[in-house]
Amino acid sequence: MYTQGLDQPGANVEKPAPAETAAELARFQARIDAEEKIEPKDWMPDAYRKTLVRQISQHAHSEIIGMQPEGNWLTRAPTLKRKAILLAKVQDEAGHGLYLYSAGETLGTSREQMVEGLLSGKAKYSSIFNYPTLTWADVGAIGWLVDGAAIMNQIPICRCSYGPYARAMVRICKEESFHQRQGFEIMLELARGTAKQKEMAQDALDRWWWPSVMMFGPSDAESKHSAQSMAWKIKRFTNDELRQKFIDVTAPQAEFLGLTIPDDKLEYDEATGHYRFGEIDWQEFYDVLAGNGPCNRQRLRHRRAAQEEGAWVRAAAQAHASKREVHTAATGARAQRAGGRSHG
Amino acid sequence: MADETWPLYEVFIRSRSGLSHRHAGSVHAADDKMALDHARDVYTRRNEGVSIWVVRSSEIVASDPAESAAFFDPAADKIYRHPTFYEIPDGVENL
Amino acid sequence: MSMNKDEALLRYVLRLGDNALVLGQRLTELVTWAPELEEELANANLALDYIGQARLYYSYAGTLEGKGRTEDDFAFLRDGPDFRNVLLVEQPNGHFGDTIVRQFLFETFYALQLEGLSRCSDPRLAEIAARAVKEIRYHLRHVSHWLVRLGDGNEESHARAQQSLSELWRFTGELFAGDEVDTIVEREWNGPRLGEIEQTWSREVDAVLADATLIRPDAEWMDGGGRAGRHTEHLGYLIAEMQFLQRAYPGARW
């Protein structure tokens, strides 16, 4: 979902490069169908590679940008325990971004290029992170709803056909399990707390519910890429399937909390065993996607500023490394000439 | 900016004594000491390691997959490279 | 002598807690601002270590005090003058060089202090110190390497690091300017000897500065007052931000 069907309807479908013969494509598809993992040096269609680079880097960018709304309450966390837990969570997100950039790099791009895509505004990230965290309850809501939705999307990707991406996701899923729990725990504490705290929790749910539901992206009928991604086992379930599962799982949790989901059409259907829900206002989704959410500019500005402020540090580290390598090489050469062994 | 890009290192972790080092992923670092620190910070936060190896990715020599022609680079090469990637023409979205 | 040994121990432990909390809060402010992604993870580790230590010190202080105060009571419900951290740890993060220099100067001292404390005669404090010293040794390795990279990097990084050093040097004297509490802990609890620590600190700092091609500033004026609760203007803002929720919603559980 950090990859939330950001394919715009009507985007060009890739034409296969001339070198890709029907036979090669068929052999590749056979491997996929046999649930074989594709590894970095294996043959793969151009479009498969490109789709993965786009999806993986979007996912990575989402983790990095996602640190900002949650990180916003780190210095104001209300207890030392909550501060520590939130620090660990946000740190995990940095780590997840890192694992994903690593996986992306196995496909022939570099972290620098991927990051440049983000900073230039060309690359997308999950638009859920363009909403502000206005109260401590928002931290709870993000953990409960946003991470909840993320987990739902991520578990299937653990079985994706591309090895490095699948392995990164396995690592991520293992770490993710406490993220949702800490969010729910925050909400529970608030819901059972003072009247003002309960109000805070309800207000957060009111603001985060629909954006979370929209995280799964529009219906797959809208996306030309969906079918190909499913065939190549990059995508394992449809957006609608995942969204339904999320709502089915989360609605009872809200009931348990004693909070009301802001959807008056939400109702359990005995016949289907699923929850019916109201219509989604996709205009808001597209507005935020187009850069007009509450925090789009702020998120990127922050990221760019951090990158720029860090430039001199990165350059210094490089300069130092070069100096010391030259020194070591020179020392090594002298030692070798003197007949000793060099210990480079 | 090339003069601030840190090279890529592959990270191998021995999670418990008696086991082999396994590939855990990669990190960027300016020098070997930093690479070790970063590997420790990134990949052993949950007590997952007793020993860490880091190797510059460019130093890894990899075997060829059994399949025929790799799509980009010839055989017997280093596996992780950072070529200038595709030129994306203006007007193409989401790439 | 106005203070008994138990009172001195309590105050000493609170000072340790305050140093850890204030520095932990400073490092927390750096999240999402690291110069590289791997440094984000490193920084979060450092912050987590300090918050963890603060919790241990404060919990123990609550036990020693015997009035039922919790770790959060100490962290969120005391005002500036009650905080007894050294001034160095409340200095702002500034740029990466300022942060690294601050960490280096403090942690070279703190590691030595902890080594001493791990041998003190209070079992619980010795236990906390033995655990913390492992963490701080790792911090020190990390920040020392960085100081060398910056000092012996390029012209810009060298100039910045030298400047950071010059500006923060005035806060180093306080580390060794012990008062009655330090004296009692040293004498009655086999605590660390500040005089010896100062000499070792000086040697260790000189060694790293040499490697970093940085010049040790002349020790002119030294600032102080933290142990007496007299702080720089920075602490007030740090506390206000940190304590906001507990102050705005008194008595609430989180």
Side-chain angles (χ1 to χ4, degrees), chain A residues 49 54 92 102 112 314, chain B residues 4 26 45-46 72 94:
Chain A
R49 187 187 297 272
R54 187 185 63 236
D92 270 356
S102 286
E112 200 192 358
R314 295 190 298 274
Chain B
E4 23 165 303
S26 60
R45 272 172 293 140
R46 284 161 163 87
F72 288 108
N94 298 321

Side-chain angles (χ1 to χ4, degrees), chain C residues 172-184:
Chain C
T172 57
E174 189 188 10
L175 299 171
F176 315 104
D179 63 2
E180 194 186 0
V181 169
D182 295 288
T183 309
I184 297 177

Side-chain angles (χ1 to χ4, degrees), chain C residues 174-227:
Chain C
E174 189 188 10
L175 299 171
F176 315 104
D179 63 2
E180 194 186 0
V181 169
D182 295 288
T183 309
I184 297 177
V185 168
E186 193 179 309
R187 205 180 51 228
E188 307 289 336
W189 294 101
N190 194 35
R193 306 193 203 314
L194 279 179
E196 282 171 28
I197 286 183
E198 183 168 15
Q199 286 178 27
T200 311
W201 178 89
S202 197
R203 268 199 320 272
E204 287 182 9
V205 165
D206 281 343
V208 177
L209 291 185
D211 203 10
T213 73
L214 291 168
I215 299 175
R216 178 186 176 124
D218 289 323
E220 316 156 351
W221 175 255
M222 287 296 178
D223 275 334
R227 283 179 181 76

Side-chain angles (χ1 to χ4, degrees), chain C residues 1-15 84 178-189 227-228:
Chain C
M1 199 180 24
S2 51
M3 201 185 302
N4 70 34
K5 63 182 258 191
D6 291 328
E7 175 67 26
L9 184 66
L10 169 60
R11 291 190 192 208
Y12 193 87
V13 170
L14 273 172
R15 290 172 183 184
R84 302 306 170 98
D179 63 2
E180 194 186 0
V181 169
D182 295 288
T183 309
I184 297 177
V185 168
E186 193 179 309
R187 205 180 51 228
E188 307 289 336
W189 294 101
R227 283 179 181 76

Side-chain angles (χ1 to χ4, degrees), chain C residues 72-89:
Chain C
D72 290 327
D73 290 332
F74 288 113
F76 295 94
L77 299 180
R78 288 180 307 148
D79 200 353
D82 295 324
F83 275 76
R84 302 306 170 98
N85 53 283
V86 294
L87 303 185
L88 181 57
V89 301

Side-chain angles (χ1 to χ4, degrees), chain A residues 6 8 41 43 46 49 54 92 98-99 102 105-106 108 111-113 171 178 314 318 321 325, chain B residues 1 3-6 8 26 28 30 43 45-46 48 56 64 69 71-72 80 82-83 85-86 94:
Chain A
L6 293 171
Q8 302 284 351
K41 234 192 150 197
W43 188 92
D46 204 39
R49 187 187 297 272
R54 187 185 63 236
D92 270 356
L98 198 153
Y99 307 151
S102 286
E105 287 188 282
T106 67
R111 187 189 300 174
E112 200 192 358
Q113 283 170 299
R171 201 177 186 104
F178 93 83
R314 295 190 298 274
Q318 266 298 70
E325 261 172 39
Chain B
M1 273 188 271
D3 66 350
E4 23 165 303
T5 317
W6 295 348
L8 192 63
S26 60
H28 282 272
Y43 292 106
R45 272 172 293 140
R46 284 161 163 87
E48 301 118 302
R56 289 247 181 142
D64 242 338
F71 193 61
F72 288 108
Y80 296 109
H82 306 277
F85 200 50
Y86 300 101
N94 298 321

